[in-house]
Amino acid sequence: MSKAGDWRNYKRVLLPPVKDLHRLDAYEANEGYAALREVVTTDKWTPTSVTDEVKKSGLKGRGGAGFPTGLKWSFMPPVDPEIPRYLCCNGDESEPGTFKDRQLLEYNPHLVFEGMLIASYAMSIKTAYLYIRGEFADWITHMEAELEKAYQKGYVGKNIMGSDFSCDIVIHKGAGAYICGEESSLMNSLEGKRAYPRIKPPFPAQKGVWGYPTTINNVETLACAPLIIRNGGEWYAGIGAPNHAGPVLYGISGHVNRPGVYEYPTGMLITDLVNEVAGGMRGGKKLKALVPGGSSTPVLRADMIDGVTMDADSLREAGSMMGTSGMLIMDEDTDMVSFLRRITHFYHHESCGQCTPCREGTGWLENIVTRIDEGEGNLRDLDLLIDLCSQMEGRTVCALADAAAWPVRYTIDRFRDEFEAKCKPSLVASGVDMATA
Amino acid sequence: MADFIKHPIVDLPDRKPDPVVPADQLHFSDEEKKEIQTWISRYPTADGAVMRALWLAQEKFSFLPPEVIQLVADEVGIPYSNAYGVATFYTQYFKEKKGKYVLDVCTCFSCQLCGGFDMLHYLEEKLDVHKGETTQDGVFTVQEAECLGACGSAPMLQITNGTYVHNLTREKIDALVDALREDKMPAFTSVTLPQDEDEMGGNRRTDVSSTETYQAGPVSETIR
Ligand SMILES: Cc1cc2nc3c(=O)[nH]c(=O)nc-3n(C[C@H](O)[C@H](O)[C@H](O)COP(=O)(O)O)c2cc1C
Ligand code: SF4
Ligand code: FES
C-alpha cells in the first residue's frame, strides 16, 4: 500500500511551480526568507525551539544514511563564545545515480541558503560552508551571484534583518573526488588538505572542521528546514510515510520513458514511480531490476518490489535501503555482470587508499568481476568475491568499503545464475570451502 | 649513499622537471592576488583557500605543473608539499597538459545503461584517440568520467570542467566537435523537470537561452 496518500494531487514544496524561483525577487514574493525573519526577529523562536520543531517533524537526512536531523543538531555541545562552530552543507552529490541536489541548487538555491541560516541559528553557528562538487562549476557561478544578492539584502552576513544573529555563507568548490561526500573527508577538503576520511570518534559535533564543533547535512535536508518553520513540524510529519516523513526528490534514471527528478512524498510505491510517474519502461520492455537509492544500495529484482514503498522501513524489509533516492531502473536486456563490473571500477577509482581492505579490496573486486565478465572466471570466483566483501565490510575508516562491497554481494546473491552462466565450468564446485579446495 | 638509493629499482618521478611556464609569465596579476586574498579571508586558516587558488591557477595556465603549484603555495602561504598533495588528490586538477577542450564522457552507472560507452567509443573513433589521449592537433582530449550527477539526462559529457551536454547522441557529438573546432562553446543548458513540463508547460527559468527535457536514453550497444 502506498503511504504517499493522494500523491497524484501532491503540491510540490521543495520545487514549487513558480517561474524564476531561483531569483531572489521571485523567491521573496513566495514567502522567501519569511521563515528566517520569523526565527531571528521574533520571540517565538529560540535555538532550542527550532531544533525541537525539526525533531517533531521527523526529518531524516537525505544524504544517504537517513539520520534524524533534529537529533543530529542537538549533539552540538553547549555554546562557548571562545570556540567557533561550523555548519557544512553537503552538496558533493557524487553517488552514481544521484542527481537531485543539482536540480535543487539550480531551481531553488535561496531555499538552501535559508535552510542553512535557520540551521545555523538553531546551533548558534556563525559560518556555514556550502560544499559543492567542482563539476557543478556552472551552477556554482549562478549560486554565487544569487548569494551576493542575498548578502546585499541583508539576509546573510552581519546582523541578519536587524537582529543580533550574524552568519556568513561560503561556497566551497570541490575538484572531483567522490570521497569528499563522506562527511569527515569533506571536512579535510574544506581545510585544504587531501580529502582523507577521519577515524570516528571523535564525531564532527565534538571535533569537526579545524577541530571545532561541526554539523554536516545534505542540501535537500537543509532545504526542508524553512518549510518546517513555515508550516510547522506536525505538517511535515504528516507528509508521506509515518516513520520517514516529508517530501523527497526522487531522481529516476535508466530504462524508463520519462527519467528525471520528481518531487513526491516519501512512501511512494516503487511500482507507481516506475509505471506512472516515470512513464513506464522504455520500449515496452519488462522491468528486470532496480537500484533504489544510488549505486551502493542493494539491487532489487523485479519480483522483490511488490508492495514495497520508498521509505526506510519498507526498503529494509525488502532487502535494500533508501540511500539518496536516486533510482536506477533496468529492463530485461540488462547484463548484470557488465553492470556490476562498471560499479566495481567506480569504487576502485574512488577509494582514497588509506585502508588496506578498501584500497586492495576494491581493486580485487574489479579484477575478478572483469575476469568473469570476459568469460575467464571460475565458479569459485563467486565465492571468492563474497569472501572478499566480508573482509571489507566494517573494517575501514569510512563506509566507502561497505558501499563498494554491498553491490557485489547483493548483485551476485540476487542474480547468481547470470554470473554462473558467464563463468567457465570449474573443477571445484561452487560452495566448496576455499581453504580445502 | 647506499647503492639502491642511487640506482632505484623503480624509476622515481621527476619531482622538479624543467619548468614549462616561462619565468616572465609565472605570476598572478594584482587582481588575481586580491581574489586569492579574499578567499583566504573566508577561512579560519589560509589552507582553506588552496582549492580556489588552484582553480584560479588552472584557469590561467590551463594546467598545474610543479612551478605553478609552487606559485599557488607561495601566494596562499602554505608549504609546497601541501599544495602538491591537494593538486594530486583531485581528478579535476590537470597535472599534465591537456587538449584545448577536454571531453569527459560519463560511462558510469546510469550512463552505462543508456549508451555512455557507445558515445565514448564513437568519440574515440571520430577523433582517432583512445580515452586519456589528446588529438595530434592538441584540440581535444577524450576522457572517461565517473558519475557527473546528471544521470537522468544520460548519456552525457562535460567540456573542460564546465558546460554539461545532456542527452548525447552521435549527431550531437558531431555538431559539438564541429562547433568546438570553431571555438564555439555551447551555452549552459537547463534541463526541465518533468513536473514543470506538466504544470508550467516548460522550463521555469526565463534567464537561460538553452533548455532541454529529460529524455529516455538510447538502447546501449554494449550492455543491452
Ligand atoms: C563514501 C561516501 C560518500 C558520500 N557522499 C555523499 C554525498 O555526495 N552527498 C551527501 O549529502 N552525503 C554523502 N554521504 C553521506 C555523508 O557522509 C553524511 O552522512 C551526510 O552528508 C549527512 O547529511 P544528512 O544527515 O543530511 O543526510 C556520503 C557518505 C559516504 C560514506
Ligand atoms: S574505506 Fe576506502 S575510501 Fe574510506 S578511508 Fe578507507 S580507503 Fe579511504
Ligand atoms: S551516471 Fe552519468 S551522470 Fe550519473
Side-chain angles (χ1 to χ4, degrees):
Chain A
M1 247 286 284
S2 167
K3 297 171 190 162
D6 182 16
W7 60 267
R8 284 184 190 79
N9 292 315
Y10 173 73
K11 295 252 177 309
R12 290 183 285 162
V13 287
L14 285 168
L15 292 167
V18 176
K19 277 265 181 234
D20 284 330
L21 188 62
H22 64 287
R23 302 215 315 229
L24 183 57
D25 41 2
Y27 185 70
E28 281 173 317
N30 287 276
E31 291 184 86
Y33 291 108
L36 179 67
R37 170 164 288 133
E38 194 181 302
V39 164
V40 299
T41 61
T42 67
D43 294 339
K44 196 174 154 204
W45 297 100
T46 62
T48 325
S49 71
V50 173
T51 308
D52 286 344
E53 201 66 29
V54 172
K55 277 188 189 159
K56 216 194 290 169
S57 75
L59 168 61
K60 287 186 179 161
R62 304 286 195 241
F67 194 83
T69 306
L71 188 61
K72 188 187 262 189
W73 292 4
S74 64
F75 289 158
M76 288 291 270
V79 181
D80 176 343
E82 299 288 301
I83 295 178
R85 317 143 68 85
Y86 296 101
L87 176 76
C88 300
C89 178
N90 189 342
D92 190 58
E93 184 154 80
S94 314
E95 173 97 350
T98 312
F99 53 111
K100 47 134 185 139
D101 291 342
R102 179 174 57 85
Q103 298 273 250
L104 193 53
L105 295 174
E106 174 174 358
Y107 290 132
N108 208 351
H110 288 286
L111 187 69
V112 179
F113 297 149
E114 191 178 354
M116 289 174 71
L117 294 166
I118 290 173
S120 298
Y121 176 85
M123 292 175 275
S124 309
I125 287 167
K126 290 197 178 64
T127 314
Y129 290 98
L130 172 50
Y131 191 106
I132 305 183
R133 66 181 296 188
E135 286 87 345
F136 293 172
D138 285 343
W139 291 275
I140 292 176
T141 315
H142 298 180
M143 290 187 73
E144 278 175 344
E146 289 303 321
L147 180 60
E148 186 51 40
K149 285 193 219 160
Y151 258 103
Q152 276 164 15
K153 278 266 182 142
Y155 296 139
V156 195
K158 265 214 148 12
N159 298 104
I160 293 173
M161 300 185 218
S163 69
D164 52 10
F165 174 65
S166 303
C167 182
D168 282 307
I169 293 181
V170 178
I171 298 181
H172 186 95
K173 182 178 179 187
Y178 166 65
I179 193 61
C180 291
E182 201 280 336
E183 53 189 20
S184 58
S185 157
L186 185 147
M187 298 192 297
N188 276 342
S189 183
L190 265 180
E191 290 179 25
K193 300 191 179 126
R194 290 169 77 84
Y196 290 127
R198 304 175 183 172
I199 293 174
K200 284 173 262 182
F203 291 98
Q206 281 101 45
K207 223 165 169 271
V209 260
W210 293 283
Y212 298 121
T214 304
T215 295
I216 295 146
N217 275 124
N218 173 257
V219 165
E220 192 187 340
T221 313
L222 289 173
C224 288
L227 306 174
I228 292 169
I229 298 298
R230 264 185 230 166
N231 306 303
E234 253 162 62
W235 162 85
Y236 192 92
I239 301 174
N243 282 328
H244 198 157
V248 68
L249 298 176
Y250 296 100
I252 307 180
S253 64
H255 298 153
V256 287
N257 281 322
R258 255 191 127 186
V261 173
Y262 294 87
E263 181 188 331
Y264 280 110
T266 54
M268 291 278 287
L269 275 173
I270 291 180
T271 43
D272 281 348
L273 281 168
V274 175
N275 297 328
E276 297 198 35
V277 171
M281 300 298 294
R282 184 188 67 188
K285 296 270 185 186
K286 279 219 291 286
L287 174 71
K288 174 176 189 171
L290 68 90
V291 180
S295 59
S296 59
T297 55
V299 60
L300 293 170
R301 272 195 322 264
D303 61 304
M304 300 166 79
I305 61 161
D306 271 341
V308 177
T309 55
M310 287 295 285
D311 56 272
D313 295 343
S314 180
L315 282 167
R316 191 179 320 109
E317 237 168 80
S320 193
M321 286 181 299
M322 180 83 164
T324 59
S325 64
M327 305 170 70
L328 177 67
I329 319 292
M330 291 173 265
D331 73 15
E332 53 191 315
D333 296 333
T334 312
D335 178 344
M336 299 309 286
V337 185
S338 315
F339 166 69
L340 184 63
R341 174 179 172 177
R342 187 62 183 79
I343 298 184
T344 55
H345 174 78
F346 171 80
Y347 286 106
H348 183 205
H349 184 260
E350 299 297 339
S351 167
C352 82
Q354 264 193 124
C355 329
T356 313
C358 175
R359 182 185 63 240
E360 303 300 322
T362 50
W364 280 107
L365 291 180
E366 183 185 358
N367 286 346
I368 300 171
V369 175
T370 303
R371 179 160 80 198
I372 296 173
D373 189 36
E374 303 203 322
E376 295 295 321
N378 291 314
L379 282 178
R380 68 175 180 191
D381 282 344
L382 298 179
D383 299 324
L384 181 59
L385 283 170
I386 302 293
D387 190 39
L388 251 171
C389 291
S390 309
Q391 298 195 38
M392 290 167 68
E393 287 161 4
R395 287 180 158 80
T396 51
V397 171
C398 86
L400 186 136
D402 304 72
W406 290 331
V408 175
R409 176 185 290 282
Y410 291 102
T411 313
I412 293 179
D413 182 49
R414 287 166 190 177
F415 294 92
R416 192 164 182 113
D417 48 338
E418 264 186 57
F419 282 83
E420 288 182 355
K422 271 210 174 177
C423 288
K424 289 196 294 201
S426 171
L427 292 175
V428 184
S430 176
V432 171
D433 182 7
M434 289 294 300
T436 56
Chain B
M1 209 197 287
D3 230 32
F4 70 90
I5 295 180
K6 270 188 287 175
H7 306 289
I9 301 168
V10 182
D11 278 337
L12 295 173
D14 189 356
R15 278 162 209 261
K16 281 260 176 226
D18 291 336
V20 283
V21 179
D24 59 334
Q25 287 170 28
L26 191 63
H27 55 79
F28 285 122
S29 69
D30 289 342
E31 213 166 285
E32 288 156 349
K33 282 185 184 164
K34 220 173 104 197
E35 194 181 333
I36 293 175
Q37 289 309 320
T38 313
W39 282 109
I40 290 177
S41 72
R42 292 182 178 157
Y43 298 89
T45 60
D47 309 42
V50 63
M51 290 187 73
R52 283 283 184 163
L54 286 169
W55 272 119
L56 200 92
Q58 178 156 309
E59 270 153 38
K60 186 178 167 95
F61 299 104
S62 84
F63 74 117
L64 301 172
E67 66 271 20
V68 171
I69 297 177
Q70 179 72 57
L71 180 73
V72 168
D74 293 345
E75 196 56 44
V76 178
I78 57 172
Y80 172 75
S81 56
N82 285 17
Y84 180 82
V86 172
T88 49
F89 188 87
Y90 301 91
T91 47
Q92 285 191 291
Y93 294 135
F94 300 151
K95 270 69 70 183
E96 69 276 343
K97 189 145 186 63
K98 306 258 174 181
K100 190 166 174 194
Y101 298 106
V102 181
L103 303 177
D104 272 311
V105 187
C106 177
T107 60
C108 202
F109 212 58
S110 314
C111 288
Q112 178 196 22
L113 293 190
C114 296
F117 278 106
D118 301 341
M119 294 302 129
L120 177 66
H121 296 183
Y122 180 70
L123 202 52
E124 284 176 328
E125 258 169 54
K126 185 177 168 72
L127 298 175
D128 196 22
V129 286
H130 292 293
K131 65 181 182 202
E133 293 174 355
T134 303
T135 51
Q136 295 236 302
D137 56 7
V139 178
F140 294 105
T141 301
V142 177
Q143 300 189 145
E144 180 178 9
E146 301 301 335
C147 178
L148 292 164
C151 325
S153 39
M156 54 80 62
L157 66 72
Q158 178 173 32
I159 309 166
T160 329
N161 295 332
T163 310
Y164 278 27
V165 183
H166 303 271
N167 301 318
L168 273 187
T169 58
R170 288 181 174 76
E171 295 71 44
K172 254 189 166 164
I173 289 183
D174 291 341
L176 175 70
V177 167
D178 289 345
L180 289 179
R181 281 227 166 89
E182 292 170 18
D183 287 327
K184 280 193 207 117
M185 209 40 184
F188 168 82
T189 305
S190 176
V191 186
T192 309
L193 299 166
Q195 282 166 306
D196 282 358
E197 258 170 78
D198 295 343
E199 294 168 30
M200 298 161 75
N203 196 283
R204 58 172 65 213
R205 291 183 70 167
T206 55
D207 58 352
V208 286
S209 57
S210 169
T211 63
E212 231 178 280
T213 59
Y214 282 105
Q215 281 160 27
V219 177
S220 161
E221 282 161 22
T222 44
I223 186 170
R224 287 277 122 226

